[in-house]
Amino acid sequence: MSKRDYYDVLGLSKGASKDEIRKAYRKLSKKYHPDLNKEPGAEEKFKEVTEAFEVLSDDTKKANYDQFGHADPNQGFGGFGGGGDGFGFEDIFSTFFGGGGSRRRDPNAPRKGDDLQYSMTIDFMEAVFGKEMEIEIPKEETCETCDGSGAKKGTSPTTCTHCGGSGQISITQNTPLGQMVNRRTCPHCQGTGKIIPEKCTTCHGKGRVTKNKKIKVTIPEGVDDGQQLRISGQGEAGHNGGPAGDLYIVFRVRPHEKFIREEDDIYLELGLTFPQAALGDEIEVPTVHGNVNLKIPAGTQTGTRFRLRGKGVKNVHGRGIGDQHVVVKVMTPKKMTEKQKELMREFAAIGGDSPDEYSSSLFDKIKRTIKGD
């Protein structure tokens, strides 16, 4: 089954901006987050949305995707691969120019190890304030018994006599178009250019062993859902003395029961009683930094927003701190005593406001929102 277009996954057009991509991801990741959505298929959709975001939010990956789609450009075009027994671009040069037109890679040259990715789920407050944690991951490391040679202690690998140490063999075929030369991975040394007569008893000739390694991770203050942290040199061990790869930690942030985060700002819905909204009050409001006092003016309406400056999240890149937005919701009492009902009827009888005035005010507010005022 072919993969869906990443833009379609996020509900965007191909020309979408970084901000649009980020907002679409936030919306969909919250919708399908496994901790929130228990419907069948939600987890798969969450993974699909995350994969699309990780590609489209990276400038280099996005440029490659925009040009090649899901086809990996490193794997060639039309089924031409670079390894195994298939044709590669070097094979094409050999076919039409009789070999010698390509440059062979030394199979024993030092190479950087593979990068690793680890998904870490953290609590809302841990993302806001950061934390030091220790994780344990399985990773390949150089075998200490043979120092990575793969050979039994006291012995050494020998050069493969079939490929002369190149890791590849050439097969010549006569065709109506002339001679065709196809280079393939040497089946005797599996492309390493070396033969190990006596294998190391610890790694069995691989030169590497898998171990569980504990790594201390400092969660940055202000990290957000979907962001990643690079830890240099904590990936797979390098090959032939090359440097180790890197470890990329992708953060998944659990939703909070009260607070909603939008970039560096925090949103909180606050319920007010009818008397508080009508007469005004001074109340205590929770923030991620602790409770603060907030003065509610008399006549406050549902939907009124109060800004608490500097009570949001510290930007993970050090670009200031966000605010907390308190959105008011006036609570209509569901149960009242006879005395309360009597007072409400008296209030309604002597009140100077009419429903038409409320409707007009609401309609004006909707118009201003549509116009962007």
Side-chain angles (χ1 to χ4, degrees), residues 244-290:
D246 301 326
L247 171 64
Y248 288 87
I249 297 179
V250 180
F251 294 101
R252 303 290 176 229
V253 182
R254 295 187 185 96
H256 194 274
E257 59 180 7
K258 292 181 180 178
F259 302 116
I260 295 175
R261 179 176 175 181
E262 185 64 39
E263 297 185 353
D264 298 330
D265 288 346
I266 298 289
Y267 289 82
L268 172 72
E269 185 178 77
L270 180 68
L272 293 180
T273 64
F274 178 75
Q276 284 179 315
L279 303 175
D281 198 359
E282 187 167 338
I283 60 175
E284 208 172 54
V285 176
T287 76
V288 293
H289 303 279

Short mmCIF file of all heavy atoms in Angstrom, two decimals, residues 244-290:
data_model
loop_
_atom_site.label_atom_id
_atom_site.label_comp_id
_atom_site.label_asym_id
_atom_site.label_seq_id
_atom_site.Cartn_x
_atom_site.Cartn_y
_atom_site.Cartn_z
N ALA A 244 31.32 7.59 16.28
CA ALA A 244 29.98 7.08 16.55
C ALA A 244 28.93 8.03 15.97
O ALA A 244 29.19 9.22 15.76
CB ALA A 244 29.77 6.92 18.05
N GLY A 245 27.75 7.49 15.70
CA GLY A 245 26.65 8.33 15.21
C GLY A 245 26.06 9.14 16.35
O GLY A 245 26.58 9.17 17.47
N ASP A 246 24.97 9.81 16.08
CA ASP A 246 24.32 10.67 17.08
C ASP A 246 22.99 10.05 17.51
O ASP A 246 22.39 9.24 16.80
CB ASP A 246 24.07 12.07 16.51
CG ASP A 246 25.37 12.75 16.07
OD1 ASP A 246 26.40 12.51 16.74
OD2 ASP A 246 25.35 13.49 15.08
N LEU A 247 22.52 10.49 18.67
CA LEU A 247 21.23 10.06 19.19
C LEU A 247 20.26 11.23 19.11
O LEU A 247 20.56 12.32 19.59
CB LEU A 247 21.37 9.60 20.65
CG LEU A 247 20.07 9.30 21.41
CD1 LEU A 247 19.33 8.13 20.79
CD2 LEU A 247 20.37 9.02 22.89
N TYR A 248 19.11 11.00 18.49
CA TYR A 248 18.07 12.03 18.39
C TYR A 248 16.89 11.61 19.26
O TYR A 248 16.31 10.54 19.06
CB TYR A 248 17.62 12.20 16.93
CG TYR A 248 18.65 12.86 16.06
CD1 TYR A 248 19.64 12.11 15.43
CD2 TYR A 248 18.65 14.24 15.88
CE1 TYR A 248 20.61 12.72 14.64
CE2 TYR A 248 19.61 14.86 15.09
CZ TYR A 248 20.58 14.09 14.47
OH TYR A 248 21.54 14.70 13.69
N ILE A 249 16.57 12.44 20.24
CA ILE A 249 15.45 12.16 21.13
C ILE A 249 14.27 13.02 20.70
O ILE A 249 14.36 14.25 20.67
CB ILE A 249 15.82 12.45 22.59
CG1 ILE A 249 16.95 11.51 23.03
CG2 ILE A 249 14.60 12.29 23.50
CD1 ILE A 249 17.40 11.73 24.45
N VAL A 250 13.16 12.37 20.33
CA VAL A 250 11.93 13.06 19.94
C VAL A 250 11.00 13.08 21.15
O VAL A 250 10.71 12.04 21.73
CB VAL A 250 11.25 12.38 18.75
CG1 VAL A 250 9.97 13.12 18.36
CG2 VAL A 250 12.20 12.30 17.55
N PHE A 251 10.55 14.27 21.54
CA PHE A 251 9.72 14.41 22.73
C PHE A 251 8.24 14.31 22.41
O PHE A 251 7.76 14.93 21.45
CB PHE A 251 10.02 15.74 23.44
CG PHE A 251 11.41 15.82 23.99
CD1 PHE A 251 12.41 16.52 23.33
CD2 PHE A 251 11.73 15.18 25.17
CE1 PHE A 251 13.70 16.58 23.83
CE2 PHE A 251 13.02 15.23 25.70
CZ PHE A 251 14.00 15.93 25.02
N ARG A 252 7.53 13.55 23.21
CA ARG A 252 6.08 13.47 23.16
C ARG A 252 5.57 13.99 24.50
O ARG A 252 5.92 13.43 25.55
CB ARG A 252 5.60 12.03 22.95
CG ARG A 252 6.17 11.40 21.69
CD ARG A 252 5.59 12.01 20.45
NE ARG A 252 6.19 11.48 19.24
CZ ARG A 252 6.65 12.21 18.26
NH1 ARG A 252 6.56 13.53 18.34
NH2 ARG A 252 7.16 11.67 17.18
N VAL A 253 4.76 15.02 24.48
CA VAL A 253 4.30 15.67 25.72
C VAL A 253 2.86 15.28 26.01
O VAL A 253 1.98 15.45 25.16
CB VAL A 253 4.43 17.21 25.62
CG1 VAL A 253 4.00 17.86 26.92
CG2 VAL A 253 5.87 17.60 25.28
N ARG A 254 2.63 14.76 27.21
CA ARG A 254 1.27 14.40 27.61
C ARG A 254 0.44 15.67 27.83
O ARG A 254 0.94 16.65 28.38
CB ARG A 254 1.28 13.59 28.91
CG ARG A 254 1.95 12.22 28.80
CD ARG A 254 1.76 11.44 30.10
NE ARG A 254 2.49 10.17 30.06
CZ ARG A 254 3.70 10.00 30.59
NH1 ARG A 254 4.31 11.03 31.18
NH2 ARG A 254 4.30 8.84 30.53
N PRO A 255 -0.82 15.68 27.44
CA PRO A 255 -1.68 16.84 27.66
C PRO A 255 -1.90 17.07 29.15
O PRO A 255 -1.82 16.15 29.96
CB PRO A 255 -2.99 16.47 26.96
CG PRO A 255 -2.65 15.34 26.04
CD PRO A 255 -1.51 14.60 26.68
N HIS A 256 -2.20 18.33 29.51
CA HIS A 256 -2.49 18.70 30.89
C HIS A 256 -4.00 18.76 31.09
O HIS A 256 -4.75 19.05 30.16
CB HIS A 256 -1.86 20.06 31.21
CG HIS A 256 -1.81 20.37 32.68
ND1 HIS A 256 -2.86 20.96 33.35
CD2 HIS A 256 -0.83 20.19 33.60
CE1 HIS A 256 -2.53 21.11 34.62
NE2 HIS A 256 -1.30 20.66 34.80
N GLU A 257 -4.45 18.49 32.30
CA GLU A 257 -5.89 18.47 32.55
C GLU A 257 -6.51 19.87 32.56
O GLU A 257 -7.71 20.02 32.31
CB GLU A 257 -6.18 17.78 33.89
CG GLU A 257 -5.51 18.44 35.08
CD GLU A 257 -5.81 17.74 36.39
OE1 GLU A 257 -6.44 16.66 36.35
OE2 GLU A 257 -5.41 18.25 37.43
N LYS A 258 -5.69 20.91 32.82
CA LYS A 258 -6.23 22.28 32.87
C LYS A 258 -5.67 23.17 31.77
O LYS A 258 -6.40 23.94 31.16
CB LYS A 258 -5.89 22.93 34.22
CG LYS A 258 -6.60 22.33 35.42
CD LYS A 258 -6.20 23.09 36.68
CE LYS A 258 -6.89 22.51 37.91
NZ LYS A 258 -6.46 23.23 39.15
N PHE A 259 -4.38 23.09 31.55
CA PHE A 259 -3.71 24.03 30.65
C PHE A 259 -3.61 23.48 29.22
O PHE A 259 -3.43 22.28 29.02
CB PHE A 259 -2.30 24.34 31.16
CG PHE A 259 -2.25 24.90 32.54
CD1 PHE A 259 -1.63 24.22 33.57
CD2 PHE A 259 -2.84 26.13 32.83
CE1 PHE A 259 -1.58 24.73 34.86
CE2 PHE A 259 -2.80 26.66 34.10
CZ PHE A 259 -2.18 25.95 35.13
N ILE A 260 -3.71 24.39 28.27
CA ILE A 260 -3.48 24.08 26.87
C ILE A 260 -2.33 24.97 26.40
O ILE A 260 -2.34 26.18 26.65
CB ILE A 260 -4.73 24.32 26.01
CG1 ILE A 260 -5.85 23.36 26.42
CG2 ILE A 260 -4.42 24.14 24.52
CD1 ILE A 260 -7.17 23.61 25.70
N ARG A 261 -1.37 24.36 25.73
CA ARG A 261 -0.21 25.13 25.27
C ARG A 261 -0.29 25.39 23.78
O ARG A 261 -0.62 24.50 22.99
CB ARG A 261 1.08 24.36 25.59
CG ARG A 261 2.34 25.08 25.13
CD ARG A 261 3.58 24.33 25.55
NE ARG A 261 4.78 24.95 25.00
CZ ARG A 261 6.01 24.49 25.19
NH1 ARG A 261 6.21 23.41 25.93
NH2 ARG A 261 7.05 25.11 24.65
N GLU A 262 0.02 26.62 23.38
CA GLU A 262 0.12 27.00 21.97
C GLU A 262 1.44 27.74 21.81
O GLU A 262 1.55 28.90 22.19
CB GLU A 262 -1.07 27.87 21.55
CG GLU A 262 -1.10 28.20 20.07
CD GLU A 262 -1.28 26.98 19.19
OE1 GLU A 262 -2.05 26.08 19.55
OE2 GLU A 262 -0.61 26.93 18.13
N GLU A 263 2.45 27.03 21.29
CA GLU A 263 3.82 27.54 21.23
C GLU A 263 4.28 27.90 22.65
O GLU A 263 4.34 27.02 23.50
CB GLU A 263 3.92 28.71 20.24
CG GLU A 263 3.61 28.28 18.81
CD GLU A 263 3.81 29.35 17.79
OE1 GLU A 263 4.08 30.52 18.16
OE2 GLU A 263 3.71 29.04 16.59
N ASP A 264 4.56 29.18 22.93
CA ASP A 264 5.05 29.53 24.27
C ASP A 264 3.95 30.11 25.16
O ASP A 264 4.24 30.52 26.29
CB ASP A 264 6.21 30.54 24.16
CG ASP A 264 7.39 29.96 23.41
OD1 ASP A 264 7.59 28.73 23.48
OD2 ASP A 264 8.12 30.72 22.75
N ASP A 265 2.73 30.16 24.68
CA ASP A 265 1.62 30.69 25.46
C ASP A 265 0.81 29.55 26.08
O ASP A 265 0.72 28.46 25.51
CB ASP A 265 0.70 31.56 24.60
CG ASP A 265 1.34 32.90 24.23
OD1 ASP A 265 2.35 33.26 24.87
OD2 ASP A 265 0.82 33.58 23.33
N ILE A 266 0.21 29.86 27.24
CA ILE A 266 -0.64 28.91 27.94
C ILE A 266 -2.07 29.46 27.94
O ILE A 266 -2.29 30.66 28.15
CB ILE A 266 -0.18 28.71 29.39
CG1 ILE A 266 1.23 28.12 29.44
CG2 ILE A 266 -1.16 27.82 30.17
CD1 ILE A 266 1.32 26.68 29.03
N TYR A 267 -3.05 28.58 27.73
CA TYR A 267 -4.46 28.97 27.76
C TYR A 267 -5.18 28.21 28.87
O TYR A 267 -4.93 27.01 29.07
CB TYR A 267 -5.12 28.67 26.41
CG TYR A 267 -4.65 29.60 25.31
CD1 TYR A 267 -3.46 29.36 24.64
CD2 TYR A 267 -5.39 30.73 24.96
CE1 TYR A 267 -3.00 30.22 23.65
CE2 TYR A 267 -4.95 31.59 23.96
CZ TYR A 267 -3.76 31.33 23.32
OH TYR A 267 -3.31 32.19 22.34
N LEU A 268 -6.05 28.94 29.57
CA LEU A 268 -6.82 28.35 30.66
C LEU A 268 -8.25 28.86 30.59
O LEU A 268 -8.47 30.07 30.48
CB LEU A 268 -6.21 28.73 32.02
CG LEU A 268 -7.02 28.35 33.26
CD1 LEU A 268 -6.98 26.84 33.47
CD2 LEU A 268 -6.50 29.07 34.49
N GLU A 269 -9.22 27.94 30.61
CA GLU A 269 -10.62 28.34 30.66
C GLU A 269 -11.03 28.47 32.12
O GLU A 269 -10.84 27.55 32.92
CB GLU A 269 -11.50 27.32 29.95
CG GLU A 269 -12.96 27.75 29.86
CD GLU A 269 -13.83 26.76 29.10
OE1 GLU A 269 -14.17 25.72 29.70
OE2 GLU A 269 -14.13 27.02 27.93
N LEU A 270 -11.59 29.63 32.47
CA LEU A 270 -11.94 29.93 33.86
C LEU A 270 -13.44 30.09 34.00
O LEU A 270 -14.05 30.92 33.32
CB LEU A 270 -11.23 31.21 34.31
CG LEU A 270 -11.49 31.67 35.73
CD1 LEU A 270 -10.88 30.68 36.73
CD2 LEU A 270 -10.93 33.06 35.96
N GLY A 271 -14.04 29.31 34.87
CA GLY A 271 -15.47 29.42 35.11
C GLY A 271 -15.78 30.48 36.17
O GLY A 271 -15.14 30.53 37.22
N LEU A 272 -16.74 31.35 35.87
CA LEU A 272 -17.18 32.37 36.82
C LEU A 272 -18.67 32.18 37.11
O LEU A 272 -19.44 31.82 36.23
CB LEU A 272 -16.98 33.78 36.25
CG LEU A 272 -15.55 34.28 36.03
CD1 LEU A 272 -15.60 35.70 35.47
CD2 LEU A 272 -14.75 34.24 37.32
N THR A 273 -19.07 32.43 38.35
CA THR A 273 -20.49 32.41 38.67
C THR A 273 -21.13 33.68 38.12
O THR A 273 -20.44 34.67 37.82
CB THR A 273 -20.72 32.35 40.19
OG1 THR A 273 -20.21 33.55 40.78
CG2 THR A 273 -20.02 31.13 40.78
N PHE A 274 -22.45 33.65 37.99
CA PHE A 274 -23.14 34.84 37.47
C PHE A 274 -22.89 36.07 38.35
O PHE A 274 -22.61 37.15 37.83
CB PHE A 274 -24.64 34.55 37.36
CG PHE A 274 -25.45 35.72 36.88
CD1 PHE A 274 -25.42 36.09 35.55
CD2 PHE A 274 -26.21 36.47 37.76
CE1 PHE A 274 -26.15 37.17 35.10
CE2 PHE A 274 -26.94 37.56 37.33
CZ PHE A 274 -26.90 37.92 35.99
N PRO A 275 -22.95 35.97 39.69
CA PRO A 275 -22.67 37.15 40.53
C PRO A 275 -21.24 37.67 40.35
O PRO A 275 -21.01 38.88 40.33
CB PRO A 275 -22.89 36.64 41.96
CG PRO A 275 -23.86 35.51 41.81
CD PRO A 275 -23.49 34.86 40.52
N GLN A 276 -20.26 36.77 40.22
CA GLN A 276 -18.88 37.20 40.02
C GLN A 276 -18.75 37.99 38.72
O GLN A 276 -18.07 39.03 38.67
CB GLN A 276 -17.95 35.99 39.97
CG GLN A 276 -17.65 35.36 41.32
CD GLN A 276 -16.75 34.14 41.18
OE1 GLN A 276 -16.97 33.28 40.31
NE2 GLN A 276 -15.74 34.06 42.03
N ALA A 277 -19.35 37.48 37.65
CA ALA A 277 -19.25 38.14 36.35
C ALA A 277 -20.00 39.47 36.36
O ALA A 277 -19.54 40.47 35.79
CB ALA A 277 -19.80 37.23 35.26
N ALA A 278 -21.16 39.51 37.02
CA ALA A 278 -21.98 40.73 37.00
C ALA A 278 -21.46 41.80 37.94
O ALA A 278 -21.42 42.98 37.59
CB ALA A 278 -23.42 40.36 37.37
N LEU A 279 -21.01 41.40 39.12
CA LEU A 279 -20.59 42.38 40.14
C LEU A 279 -19.08 42.60 40.19
O LEU A 279 -18.62 43.57 40.80
CB LEU A 279 -21.08 41.91 41.52
CG LEU A 279 -22.59 41.67 41.65
CD1 LEU A 279 -22.91 41.10 43.02
CD2 LEU A 279 -23.35 42.96 41.41
N GLY A 280 -18.33 41.71 39.57
CA GLY A 280 -16.87 41.81 39.65
C GLY A 280 -16.35 41.07 40.87
O GLY A 280 -17.08 40.82 41.83
N ASP A 281 -15.06 40.72 40.84
CA ASP A 281 -14.48 39.97 41.96
C ASP A 281 -12.96 39.94 41.79
O ASP A 281 -12.43 40.28 40.73
CB ASP A 281 -15.02 38.53 41.97
CG ASP A 281 -14.83 37.83 43.30
OD1 ASP A 281 -14.26 38.45 44.22
OD2 ASP A 281 -15.25 36.67 43.41
N GLU A 282 -12.27 39.54 42.83
CA GLU A 282 -10.83 39.29 42.74
C GLU A 282 -10.63 37.83 43.13
O GLU A 282 -10.98 37.42 44.24
CB GLU A 282 -10.05 40.21 43.69
CG GLU A 282 -8.55 40.06 43.48
CD GLU A 282 -7.74 41.16 44.16
OE1 GLU A 282 -8.30 42.23 44.43
OE2 GLU A 282 -6.54 40.92 44.40
N ILE A 283 -10.09 37.06 42.20
CA ILE A 283 -10.00 35.62 42.42
C ILE A 283 -8.57 35.14 42.23
O ILE A 283 -7.72 35.84 41.66
CB ILE A 283 -10.93 34.85 41.46
CG1 ILE A 283 -10.54 35.14 40.00
CG2 ILE A 283 -12.39 35.20 41.70
CD1 ILE A 283 -11.33 34.35 39.00
N GLU A 284 -8.34 33.91 42.69
CA GLU A 284 -7.04 33.27 42.54
C GLU A 284 -7.06 32.38 41.31
O GLU A 284 -7.96 31.54 41.16
CB GLU A 284 -6.72 32.44 43.79
CG GLU A 284 -5.24 32.31 44.06
CD GLU A 284 -4.96 31.65 45.41
OE1 GLU A 284 -5.49 30.54 45.64
OE2 GLU A 284 -4.23 32.25 46.22
N VAL A 285 -6.08 32.57 40.42
CA VAL A 285 -6.04 31.83 39.15
C VAL A 285 -4.78 30.97 39.11
O VAL A 285 -3.68 31.46 39.39
CB VAL A 285 -6.04 32.80 37.95
CG1 VAL A 285 -5.89 32.03 36.64
CG2 VAL A 285 -7.31 33.62 37.93
N PRO A 286 -4.89 29.68 38.75
CA PRO A 286 -3.70 28.84 38.63
C PRO A 286 -2.91 29.16 37.36
O PRO A 286 -3.49 29.44 36.32
CB PRO A 286 -4.27 27.42 38.58
CG PRO A 286 -5.65 27.58 38.02
CD PRO A 286 -6.14 28.93 38.52
N THR A 287 -1.60 29.14 37.47
CA THR A 287 -0.70 29.24 36.32
C THR A 287 0.36 28.15 36.49
O THR A 287 0.45 27.52 37.55
CB THR A 287 0.00 30.61 36.23
OG1 THR A 287 1.05 30.68 37.21
CG2 THR A 287 -0.98 31.76 36.43
N VAL A 288 1.16 27.93 35.46
CA VAL A 288 2.22 26.91 35.58
C VAL A 288 3.28 27.34 36.58
O VAL A 288 4.07 26.53 37.06
CB VAL A 288 2.88 26.63 34.20
CG1 VAL A 288 1.89 25.97 33.25
CG2 VAL A 288 3.46 27.90 33.60
N HIS A 289 3.31 28.63 36.91
CA HIS A 289 4.28 29.16 37.87
C HIS A 289 3.69 29.31 39.28
O HIS A 289 4.35 29.82 40.18
CB HIS A 289 4.78 30.53 37.40
CG HIS A 289 5.38 30.50 36.04
ND1 HIS A 289 6.68 30.09 35.79
CD2 HIS A 289 4.85 30.81 34.81
CE1 HIS A 289 6.93 30.15 34.49
NE2 HIS A 289 5.84 30.58 33.87
N GLY A 290 2.44 28.90 39.50
CA GLY A 290 1.77 29.05 40.78
C GLY A 290 0.55 29.95 40.65
O GLY A 290 0.30 30.56 39.61
#
